[in-house]
Structure formats: C-alpha cells, structure tokens
Amino acid sequence: LGLIYEKTGRTEKAEESYKKGLDIDENNYQINHNIAILYDNLNDFEKAEEYYVKSLKINSKDEFAVQRLSYM
C-alpha cells in the first residue's frame, strides 16, 4: 500500500503505511528498503541512511542500498 501511495505522490500516506508495516515487522527487508527510498526521494538523507542501513542488516546483498549509502 505504501508503494501505491508513494507512486501517486501521497508521500505522507506512504510514510504512514510503511511505518505501520514496520510496527508489525521491524525486520521486514522490503519495507525498510522502500521507506529508505521514500526518504531519499524526499531529500531526507539522514532518515534514508538509517533505513538503508537497516535494510542492509537484514539483506547484506542489497546492492542498491550499498550504492546509495556510498553517495551519502
């Protein structure tokens, strides 16, 4: 649901949806990855970095997160 909100420009609803998902499963790789991208796109690099790091702790093969972190 968060991804749909994000793709339709409803970023506040996307953030809310992702956070609800993380309340249920904070170790969900895909949600951590998606919220990192959301924050990255919103130029909130501090939060993006936090969630890229979390997604890498769950999935150390996340090349996209490694790449994005190298630019931060």
Side-chain angles (χ1 to χ4, degrees):
L1 188 57
L3 193 56
I4 293 169
Y5 284 134
E6 188 175 350
K7 296 293 182 188
T8 57
R10 299 173 66 189
T11 55
E12 289 180 17
K13 294 293 272 182
E15 178 184 29
E16 182 181 310
S17 180
Y18 291 141
K19 287 190 173 190
K20 283 181 182 179
L22 290 173
D23 285 342
I24 295 167
D25 181 4
E26 67 183 66
N27 293 313
N28 183 295
Y29 160 74
Q30 195 64 58
I31 298 171
N32 279 287
H33 181 84
N34 288 349
I35 198 169
I37 294 171
L38 172 69
Y39 288 133
D40 203 350
N41 290 337
L42 294 173
N43 297 322
D44 189 339
F45 302 118
E46 188 174 311
K47 286 183 180 177
E49 180 178 10
E50 174 187 348
Y51 287 98
Y52 282 132
V53 168
K54 286 181 179 182
S55 72
L56 275 172
K57 286 181 181 178
I58 299 164
N59 177 7
S60 62
K61 296 180 181 182
D62 183 353
E63 293 179 21
F64 183 80
V66 171
Q67 180 184 34
R68 293 304 303 153
L69 284 169
S70 73
Y71 293 117
M72 296 183 171

